[in-house]
Amino acid sequence: MKKISTILFVVLLGFSWACESDSEFLDRPPAESLTTQQAFSDPAQVLSILGNLYDRQFAVYRLSDWQTFADFNEVLVTADDNLTNLWHTNNTWPFGGINGYWTTWNYTYIRELNLFLERIGDATFSEELKATYAAEARFLRANYYFELAKLYGGVPIILQSQEYDFSGDPTYLQVPRSTEAEIYDFIIAEADTLKSLLPINADGKSRASAGAALAMKAQAAVFAGSLAKYNTTTPSVSLPGGVIGIPVERATGYYETALAASQEIISGSAGNYGLYLKIPDNLSENFAALFYDKNANPEVIYEEEYQLKFKFHYFTGANQPRYGAEEEEGGALNPSLNLVQEFELLDNTFAPIPTVDADGNPIYYENQVDIFANRDARLGGTVILPGTVFKNRQVDIWAGVQLADGSIISGSERGQLRELPGNSVPQQVVGFDGPVAATNQNALAGFYVRKYLDPVPGSGRRGTQSEVPRIRYRYAGILLIAAEAAFELGQPDIAAGYMNEVRARAGFTIPLTGADITFDRIVHERRVEFALEGEYFMDLKRFRIAHKIFDGVAMNVADLRAGIGTATNRSTQPWGLWPYKIYEPGSPNDGKWIFKENLSSRVTASDNWQLGNYYSSIDNNILNSNPKLIRQPLQ
Amino acid sequence: MKIKFHYILLLAVGFGLASCALDNYDEPTSQLTGRLVYQGNPIYLEFNRVSYELYQDGFGKTGPLGSTFTPEGTFSQLLFDGTYKMVVPNGQGPFLWGEEADMPDTVTINVSGNTEQDFEVIPFWIINNAQLSGSGNQVTGTFALEQIVTDANAKNIESVTLYISKTMFANSQTNVAITTLEGAAITDINSVSLSAAIPELVPTQNYVFASIGVKFAGVDDLLFSPTEKITF
């Protein structure tokens, strides 16, 4: 009896849910997603959508993918996995770059930006805020088109969200590629409009501001100018109708736009930007700090933001010095000697790193860093040199011990101890940071990366990682754009003035004069100032010098030492510089250092840039879906 | 319970035999081969540089099937029978082809059984009378150059290079010694001579391979002479 009443009770309980009508049930609003109307009803809601769009900005160079920094023999890749073995063993680049790093075709992103711009009009909050948010989305859209233009030349410009009408005929949705000039004109025009719509805010680095729009305008204009001017040297890199190839007569106009836009930033009308100079008595540390200092950094105009616990990257962990690191890993990228020797002497001259004297005898150095003396302060800010300090620990980079008879004793693991002749106590014969031949992830080129490495404790730990932002536009870049544009417009004295500002921050005391400014100078200054920042990729392309630098011919030591400071100097293989300690008890040279150029055994190929590499390939699937697209030249 | 192991085995073998028959297609069996020719003479290229593409219509999206020509200018593909269209992508190869050379821009090939199809192109220049010889430690190559394309599409010679290699692949990617002469420095195109010293070879071998490559201004791919084995 008791059992029955329990059952009845349960049945009764069931009735309490059963009376809701079916239509009501089906009309219930979903709890897990918002309607467009709801999403755009609240400023905080819209901001989070905008945040998502910011998060999806594209750049070829990403701190979260350290491999994207591995190209062009500016670094030796020493990591060992399937991804990284692709460098230094292949003679040519695929048309989409290694691992497809030079490709993006994210029209989904553009569509969502367009939808955002269309929907924000109906939002129910203040017009002022709506206008700012819309301007930010327009900035992101122009920014993405800029990335597309850099990689592909002319691309379809779509500024409205497209809807398919299910008629079975999608041809009305197929947009042909614009000309290369049109896409740059679009970016410049957008930036020009946006500079007055966006707030003047030199403190908000990670969100679009008037300064960011102007910086984008200056850079797009100078790129377009150089593409117009220098594509005449490679006439086969073009497509009919100007889809690739800007008419040469437009170069001057673009350079004028670039100069004017950069001067607008320099004048301070878009916010108070300036060169970073918080540590004036140590310019190398100052240059490194420019990249990790997130506190009121006057140099940064626009950056891709990272924040611990939310969005972070492992660039520091992947590339940190191995010895005493927070994880037993690091050293994935080693700056090459090719790059290191490009840093000038302080008397404005170029010279190889002096390993031997005029007669070919080795030069003996008291301290390891002495060999790099009197060079551009940016060297120490870009590269961790042997004998310098990172995170309060001196790096221990040396390849072995050289005896009086010239023979070398070294180890097969980092910091190995071995007996030396005439001494029964084993001694260290190789650095704790390497280089150890035929191993991975140590200082195989004799250097570590310094730029973008985060000195904060925990940055090299997998569980914490780093929040150093990647700088997209910075003030020194604007100065160099102004210098380049002024030079191309035949105003070398003005160019020298802008360039000297950047060089003074690097420790140069003798200013360059207008007569010193040449094409080689412009290219070189950009190469060292922006080393390992990703600018070099576009410089190689827009000056049309890549096929001369990477001509497929292997390099010997004489090649390496020759031609420093020349824009088209061959750099087909990444060389290293290995320090050796002298062991000659009783001799004045005992305990001193000598250096030898070294080509890693990992380097089995010499790079060859094909003319078809100047523009990234468009995937066959994309070409198939839209027959109006034309293929890239020489592919 | 006693497991009868041989039943399980029998069952597994039975499944194995039954499962292979129905759901597999026959592999392609028709070999398409051919070579690049100019007036019946083969064209020599660099390994893995000049690509071609084969298209077949009628099966959904048209994506190409492609590969590169061998150094001897030949190609081969194992295909199903059918009609294919073959193209050399724009700008590939040290030759003119298609529209620029007043030819159809696609070669239609009917593959049925093993098929041979030569591919006619017009090189910018050709290398005549290439002679590669070794004496002592030196390899010398003499050859003549003849310009074929002289209209608006004509290309200047950027450089000529003698490549010496330990293997049959004597080209810009694998070599032990090279000698390059800039195009402007060529005085007599009917008799160009290049020589290079053979470096010490590790491990030692008493022969090398040599070939001559010609680079045209504005063209990526080099035109080669046949590779010769030289014993010294």
Side-chain angles (χ1 to χ4, degrees), chain A residues 470-488:
Chain A
R470 195 185 90 87
I471 301 173
R472 288 290 273 277
Y473 299 114
R474 61 185 174 97
Y475 188 71
I478 301 302
L479 287 173
L480 290 184
I481 289 171
E484 183 187 337
F487 166 73
E488 297 287 0

Side-chain angles (χ1 to χ4, degrees), chain A residues 322-341:
Chain A
R322 281 294 292 275
Y323 179 36
E326 289 166 323
E327 294 283 351
E328 192 38 35
E329 60 190 354
L333 298 177
N334 291 175
S336 66
L337 182 55
N338 313 29
L339 173 65
V340 167
Q341 66 180 6

Side-chain angles (χ1 to χ4, degrees), chain A residues 236 608 611 620 624 631 634-635, chain B residues 49 53 62 89-91 218 220:
Chain A
S236 54
N608 191 342
L611 292 171
N620 275 318
N624 271 323
R631 297 174 73 94
L634 306 174
Q635 290 183 9
Chain B
R49 287 301 289 272
E53 290 175 347
T62 47
N90 286 339
D220 276 329

Side-chain angles (χ1 to χ4, degrees), chain B residues 78-207:
Chain B
L78 210 50
L79 300 168
F80 294 110
D81 286 353
T83 304
Y84 292 85
K85 290 174 178 168
M86 183 166 168
V87 298
V88 175
N90 286 339
Q92 290 281 323
F95 47 72
L96 284 185
W97 176 79
E99 238 172 289
E100 288 171 319
D102 285 330
M103 295 192 279
D105 64 356
T106 317
V107 174
T108 308
I109 303 173
N110 279 309
V111 177
S112 129
N114 289 350
T115 309
E116 223 182 298
Q117 171 86 43
D118 284 353
F119 202 91
E120 189 79 28
V121 295
I122 305 176
F124 295 111
W125 294 61
I126 53 172
I127 303 172
N128 284 331
N129 309 325
Q131 278 171 350
L132 292 153
S133 59
S135 68
N137 203 22
Q138 290 276 322
V139 173
T140 307
T142 55
F143 54 96
L145 293 162
E146 187 188 336
Q147 188 160 21
I148 305 297
V149 178
T150 50
D151 60 4
N153 292 315
K155 301 283 182 199
N156 290 326
I157 291 179
E158 189 174 302
S159 62
V160 292
T161 308
L162 173 67
Y163 295 99
I164 299 176
S165 170
K166 287 159 71 174
T167 67
M168 273 296 282
F169 297 99
N171 56 35
S172 71
Q173 293 162 40
T174 42
N175 59 61
V176 290
I178 61 171
T179 302
T180 301
L181 185 65
E182 294 300 316
I186 297 173
T187 46
D188 180 9
I189 56 165
N190 292 315
S191 158
V192 187
S193 179
L194 289 171
S195 61
I198 302 167
E200 201 180 324
L201 301 175
V202 185
T204 49
Q205 59 185 39
N206 69 341
Y207 57 88

